[in-house]
C-alpha cells in the first residue's frame, strides 16, 4: 500500500483563525488519573489524536469503558479489574506510564511495561521510581516490566526532592501522594500548565493539592475510597499546538490567530517571536501573529517551564533557518532532539550541531524536498519548512504527526496553505 504523504508547496501567505484543541500532554494524564475514582468521568475538549486513542485502549485493558464522541470523552472506571499495562501499548506510547501513580494509589499494585527510549532520547524513569519508593512503593523490574507493590499499611507521605523538574515524575508522584497517609511535599516539581490542570482535576475528585505551578507542590493525602469521578471537565488549550501554528504565521506572514489557548502559557515563545520580528496581539484566549519585516536571527535555549519549551524547539529551528544572521539553539531537555536538523539540512538549511548546541546560519530560502518525520514535533516542523520552501516538500512517517495534531493539514489549508495529504 502506497505510504500516505503530506505534500506542501511553498509561497502562500497564511491568514485566518486556527481553532486549538485540548492539550495532549494534559488530557492523557487526566485520563490516567480518572482511575483513582470509581464511576463516570467526562472530559469535554479531548483532541481526537492517536495518543488519546492509545490511552483509551490502556484504560479498556484495565477494565474501564471509554467512549470518544467528537471531542467529548467519557470514561467509566467502575469495571476496572486489572493493574497491568502491557508492552504492546506502552511501546506505542510511553505516556502510558502515567497510569503508574493512579494504579498504586487505588490498588496498591501496578505492572507496567518499561517503555524504552524513543527518537528524541532515552526517556528514563528513574525519578518516577525513586520518588514513588519514598512513598513506600517497592519495585521489582524484570522481563521488561515494572512490578510495583505497596505494603498493606498503604502509601506514606514523604518530602521528595526531584533531581530534575521532570513532568512525568511530578505527575506520577502527585497522583500517588493523593492516596498517601499524611502530607507529601514535592520539591523541584515541574511547573508546566498541564501539571496545574491535573492538580485542579484531582482536587475536583477530592484530593487536597496546593502549590501546583510552583516548584513546591504540597499534597494532603486522603482515603483513596473517598475519591469521586469528575462529571465534566474541560482541559487547558494545547500551548504546543498553538505555538506550532504561530510559527506558521511568523513564517508565512499572517495575520494568523490561534483561538482557544491562554497566552500566559506561551510567554517566552511570544517574546522570542517578537525578537524574530513578528507582531503579536493577545486576548483572553487567543493570540494573533503577523510579520512584515525580514526574520531576524534569535537564540533559543530549552528549559523546564516557564523556560522555552523543548516541544517548540524544532518548529523555531525553522524560523532560525530562514532568518537573517546566525542563531544558536541549545537543547537542554532531550539529548537527541536535533535529529530533525538533518532533514532541514536536506532542504538547504545551514546548521552545525555541536553537542547540545545547533548553530544555524539563516539562508535566503529553503528548497522543497522529500523528507521524513523522526518524531511528533519534528514532523510538524518539516511541514512548516515546506510552507516557505521553494517548490514542493513531501513529508513521510505521518504517524508521528497524528499522535499530537488533530486535523493538522485541514487547519493549515483553512488559512491558505497549498497542502494536501494523500
Ligand atoms: C513530557 O514528557 C511530555 N510528554 C513531552 O512532550 C515533553 O517534551 C516533556 O514532558 C518535557 O516538557 C507528555 O507529557 C506525554 P520529562 P516527560 O520527564 O514527562 C529525563 C511531545 O512532543 N528524565 O520532563 O517524559 C528525560 O529522559 C512530548 O508532546 C529522566 O532522566 O518529560 C528527559 O531527558 C515529547 N528520568 C528529561 O528528563 C526520569 O525519571 C525531561 O523528561 C524522567 C525524565
Amino acid at each position: 500500500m502506497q505510504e500516505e504523504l503530506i505534500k506542501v508547496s511553498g509561497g502562500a501567505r497564511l491568514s485566518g483563525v486556527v481553532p486549538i484543541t485540548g492539550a495532549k500532554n494534559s488530557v492523557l494524564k487526566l485520563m490516567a488519573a480518572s482511575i483513582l475514582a470509581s464511576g463516570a468521568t467526562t472530559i469535554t475538549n479531548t483532541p481526537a489524536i492517536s495518543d488519546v486513542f492509545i490511552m483509551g485502549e490502556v484504560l479498556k485493558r484495565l477494565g474501564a469503558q471509554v467512549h470518544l464522541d467528537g471531542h467529548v470523552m467519557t470514561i467509566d472506571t467502575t469495571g476496572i479489574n486489572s493493574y497491568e499495562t502491557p508492552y504492546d501499548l506502552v511501546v506505542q506510547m510511553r505516556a502510558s506510564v502515567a497510569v503508574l501513580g493512579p494504579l498504586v494509589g487505588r490498588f496498591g499494585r501496578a505492572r507496567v511495561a518499561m517503555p524504552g527510549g524513543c527518537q528524541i532520547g532515552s526517556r528514563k524513569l528513574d525519578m518516577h521510581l525513586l520518588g514513588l519508593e519514598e512513598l513506600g512503593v517497592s519495585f521489582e523490574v524484570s522481563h521488561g516490566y515494572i512490578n510495583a507493590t505497596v505494603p498493606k499499611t498503604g502509601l506514606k507521605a514523604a518530602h521528595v526532592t526531584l533531581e530534575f523538574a521532570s513532568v512525568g515524575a511530578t505527575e506520577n508522584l502527585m497522583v500517588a501522594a493523593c492516596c498517601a497517609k499524611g502530607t507529601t511535599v514535592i520539591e523541584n516539581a515541574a511547573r508546566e500548565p498541564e501539571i496545574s490542570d491535573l492538580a485542579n482535576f484531582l482536587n475536583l475528585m477530592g484530593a487536597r493539592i496546593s502549590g501546583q505551578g510552583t516548584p513546591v507542590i504540597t499534597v494532603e493525602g486522603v482515603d483513596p475510597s473517598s475519591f469521586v469521578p469528575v462529571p465534566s471537565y474541560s482541559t487547558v488549550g494545547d500551548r504546543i499546538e498553538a505555538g506550532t501554528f504561530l510559527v506558521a504565521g511568523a513564517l508565512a506572514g499572517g495575520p494568523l490567530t490561534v483561538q482557544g489557548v491562554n497566552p500566559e502559557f506561551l510567554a517566552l515563545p511570544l517574546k522570542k517571536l517578537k525578537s524574530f520580528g513578528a507582531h503579536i496581539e493577545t486576548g483572553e484566549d487567543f493570540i494573533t501573529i503577523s510579520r512584515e519585516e525580514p526574520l531576524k536571527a534569535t537564540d533559543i535555549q530549552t528549559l523546564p517551564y516557564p523556560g522555552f519549551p523543548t516541544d517548540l524547539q524544532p518548529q523555531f529551528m525553522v524560523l532560525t533557518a530562514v532568518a537573517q544572521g546566525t542563531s544558536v539553539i541549545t537543547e537542554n531537555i532531550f539529548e537527541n532532539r536535533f535529529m530533525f536538523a538533518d532533514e532541514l539540512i536536506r532542504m538547504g538549511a545551514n546548521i552545525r550541531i555541536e553537542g547540545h548546541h545547533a548553530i544555524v546560519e539563516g539562508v535566503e530560502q529553503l528548497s522543497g524536498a522529500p523528507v521524513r518525520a523522526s518524531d511528533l514535533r519534528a514532523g510538524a516542523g518539516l511541514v512548516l519548512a515546506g510552507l516557505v520552501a521553494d517548490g514542493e516538500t513531501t513529508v513521510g512517517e505521518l504517524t508521528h504527526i497524528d499522535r499530537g495534531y488533530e486535523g493538522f493539514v485541514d487547519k493549515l489549508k483553512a488559512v491558505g496553505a497549498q497542502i494536501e495529504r494523500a
Side-chain angles (χ1 to χ4, degrees):
M1 190 176 92
Q2 182 73 19
E3 181 195 9
E4 241 194 331
L5 298 170
I6 288 179
K7 295 178 181 172
V8 50
S9 299
R13 186 176 180 99
L14 301 192
S15 64
V17 180
V18 179
I20 298 301
T21 63
K24 165 177 93 77
N25 291 349
S26 175
V27 77
L28 295 176
K29 313 338 170 29
L30 303 185
M31 290 172 71
S34 69
I35 291 169
L36 277 187
S38 178
T41 290
T42 297
I43 303 169
T44 56
N45 61 338
T46 301
I49 53 177
S50 54
D51 271 10
V52 162
F53 306 146
I54 295 170
M55 184 58 88
E57 199 50 44
V58 167
L59 295 179
K60 287 175 188 169
R61 294 278 187 91
L62 294 172
Q65 290 176 7
V66 181
H67 183 67
L68 181 62
D69 180 7
H71 290 147
V72 179
M73 166 168 285
T74 49
I75 303 165
D76 189 336
T77 61
T78 313
I80 286 187
N81 55 15
S82 161
Y83 45 78
E84 175 157 345
T85 294
Y87 181 64
D88 68 298
L89 289 176
V90 177
V91 75
Q92 290 181 60
M93 183 187 66
R94 66 178 312 282
S96 309
V97 296
V99 297
L100 197 51
L103 288 174
V104 296
R106 181 169 170 189
F107 300 106
R109 294 289 308 266
R111 180 169 150 74
V112 179
M114 294 284 282
C118 71
Q119 298 279 22
I120 60 177
S122 62
R123 313 298 297 272
K124 293 187 296 182
L125 294 173
D126 53 317
M127 288 185 264
H128 297 241
L129 305 189
L130 289 171
L132 290 169
E133 279 174 349
E134 291 195 50
L135 295 182
V137 182
S138 304
F139 290 101
E140 187 255 321
V141 179
S142 63
H143 306 297
Y145 274 80
I146 301 169
N147 296 286
T149 48
V150 173
K152 288 273 177 287
T153 48
L155 293 165
K156 62 181 177 29
H159 191 125
V160 183
T161 300
L162 287 174
E163 190 180 325
F164 172 85
S166 154
V167 169
T170 301
E171 291 164 338
N172 264 326
L173 264 177
M174 186 168 73
V175 174
C178 292
C179 307
K181 291 183 185 62
T183 299
T184 295
V185 174
I186 305 169
E187 291 217 39
N188 196 18
R191 299 165 58 186
E192 278 70 359
E194 294 78 29
I195 304 268
S196 298
D197 204 27
L198 175 60
N200 298 339
F201 180 79
L202 288 163
N203 284 342
L204 288 174
M205 293 174 80
R208 294 193 196 132
I209 301 168
S210 57
Q212 58 268 32
T214 77
V216 182
I217 296 177
T218 302
V219 185
E220 198 185 319
V222 296
D223 178 346
S225 62
S226 67
F227 288 118
V228 292
V230 181
S232 179
Y233 191 82
S234 173
T235 183
V236 291
D238 194 318
R239 62 193 166 99
I240 304 303
E241 182 193 22
T244 304
F245 283 103
L246 288 172
V247 169
L251 285 166
L256 183 146
T257 297
V258 289
Q259 176 73 44
V261 67
N262 180 343
E264 288 169 22
F265 296 168
L266 285 163
L268 204 44
L270 294 181
K271 193 181 285 185
K272 291 294 179 180
L273 286 167
K274 289 173 187 167
S275 163
F276 275 103
H279 176 70
I280 301 278
E281 283 171 43
T282 60
E284 191 183 327
D285 65 349
F286 73 86
I287 303 163
T288 301
I289 189 166
S290 58
R291 179 178 61 85
E292 298 308 332
E293 60 264 32
L295 287 166
K296 295 190 292 282
T298 299
D299 292 347
I300 305 275
Q301 65 160 329
T302 66
L303 284 168
Y305 191 91
F308 189 93
T310 175
D311 292 347
L312 286 177
Q313 181 262 100
Q315 301 90 316
F316 273 69
M317 184 180 274
V318 179
L319 285 172
T320 63
V322 290
Q324 289 180 341
T326 302
S327 306
V328 178
I329 299 178
T330 306
E331 172 57 56
N332 294 308
I333 307 295
F334 289 107
E335 67 272 23
N336 196 22
R337 201 158 206 174
F338 281 147
M339 276 184 68
F340 165 71
D342 294 335
E343 292 302 293
L344 218 44
I345 289 166
R346 296 188 55 249
M347 295 178 70
N350 180 346
I351 304 172
R352 195 171 76 251
I353 304 296
E354 289 184 6
H356 283 261
H357 305 287
I359 294 94
V360 187
E361 304 273 350
V363 297
E364 191 63 34
Q365 187 175 32
L366 296 172
S367 60
V371 288
R372 311 193 73 68
S374 53
D375 71 271
L376 159 64
R377 309 303 174 184
L382 289 169
V383 174
L384 297 181
L387 292 173
V388 291
D390 173 40
E392 182 178 82
T393 298
T394 58
V395 182
E397 304 276 355
L398 300 185
T399 52
H400 294 295
I401 293 179
D402 294 338
R403 290 188 51 191
Y405 291 95
E406 179 187 339
F408 192 54
V409 167
D410 292 340
K411 289 183 178 181
L412 283 170
K413 201 184 286 185
V415 291
Q418 292 175 25
I419 187 168
E420 291 300 329
R421 178 166 178 156

